[in-house]
Amino acid sequence: MPQRPYEIDEMISAKSIAARIESLSREISTEFSGTDKLIVVGLLRGSFVFIADLVRELDLPIEVDFIEASSYGDGMESSREVRILKDLRAAIEGRDVLVVEDIVDTGHTLKHVMGMLRARKPSKLKSIALLNKAERREVDFKSSWIGFEIPDEFVVGYGIDFAQRNRNLPYIGKVRFT
Ligand code: IMP
């Protein structure tokens, strides 16, 4: 489907993202200090840049794993029905787990994934989302840590796409149709 032309206006600079990750990492390192080996779980694909930067700031023994859940397809509307396309390799019973997400929007995706993981009886389960669109929430869900609260705008960059484009922008920008 041909894309309507659009421009991208910077919303959060690469520098602000880096500074926020540094401070969140300190909180996370404190929360999980003493953990044997934290499993950091990225939700594919939108969190791949965030998780890469986050784990390099964590002063903890960690391992990295991924889950892929279906959400937006190629459009701008959430599908609401969450399907797991790729599950964890690791067993998490009795382990400490941190789930890393790009955006909490309606809340369906992270609520579903956290419920699924909680049923596997980890000893501690927390989540971090780089961005939160609180006004868009449809289900009761609150992430343990949030990078930035943002308004109801469609954003791209820093791993986040619009129909698979713009993931490689170093900053977060909002889509403006021209
Ligand atoms: P939720 O289930 O509605 O909370 O959707 C979460 C997922 O929708 C995120 O992980 C993103 O992949 C996608 N999403 C939500 N808002 C945006 C956006 O502004 N730009 C790109 N993807 C988004």
Side-chain angles (χ1 to χ4, degrees):
M1 199 174 61
Q3 192 65 257
R4 270 171 70 193
Y6 63 92
E7 298 211 355
I8 298 166
D9 302 325
E10 183 172 300
M11 185 189 260
I12 307 170
S13 69
K15 219 171 144 186
S16 314
I17 297 170
R20 185 72 183 121
I21 290 178
E22 211 186 303
S23 97
L24 286 166
S25 301
R26 278 197 295 272
E27 290 180 31
I28 292 168
S29 298
T30 304
E31 172 70 32
F32 288 102
S33 68
T35 189
D36 186 31
K37 192 159 33 119
L38 176 67
I39 307 185
V40 185
V41 175
L43 291 198
L44 292 172
R45 282 170 270 178
S47 72
F48 80 103
V49 176
F50 182 35
I51 192 173
D53 282 347
L54 183 71
V55 293
R56 283 179 290 176
E57 292 289 334
L58 291 179
D59 186 16
L60 291 170
I62 63 145
E63 72 186 63
V64 174
D65 207 333
F66 292 96
I67 287 179
E68 185 171 12
S70 66
S71 59
Y72 269 43
D74 273 353
M76 289 177 103
E77 261 307 303
S78 166
S79 58
R80 288 176 183 85
E81 182 209 334
V82 182
R83 283 181 304 128
I84 301 300
L85 305 177
K86 184 216 166 298
D87 204 339
L88 293 177
R89 290 278 189 98
I92 60 167
E93 185 170 350
R95 305 278 308 271
D96 286 353
V97 180
L98 175 68
V99 177
V100 180
E101 171 67 312
D102 55 354
I103 309 179
V104 190
D105 183 37
T106 63
H108 288 280
T109 307
L110 209 45
K111 186 168 179 148
H112 179 92
V113 167
M114 295 300 275
M116 177 183 95
L117 297 183
R118 196 167 295 114
R120 297 177 191 178
K121 301 186 171 38
S123 61
K124 194 187 269 189
L125 178 64
K126 301 272 182 189
S127 64
I128 178 165
L130 180 66
L131 305 174
N132 186 41
K133 294 189 204 171
E135 318 168 29
R136 296 259 309 162
R137 200 70 89 253
E138 292 178 4
V139 291
D140 182 26
F141 179 81
K142 208 163 176 287
S143 182
S144 321
W145 291 279
I146 296 285
F148 300 90
E149 297 288 343
I150 61 165
D152 180 10
E153 301 278 2
F154 198 82
V155 295
V156 291
Y158 199 71
I160 300 165
D161 74 304
F162 179 20
Q164 301 309 324
R165 296 165 66 183
N166 312 121
R167 289 193 197 272
N168 53 335
L169 280 178
Y171 56 86
I172 301 282
K174 79 175 188 195
V175 167
R176 176 170 45 85
F177 289 104
T178 51

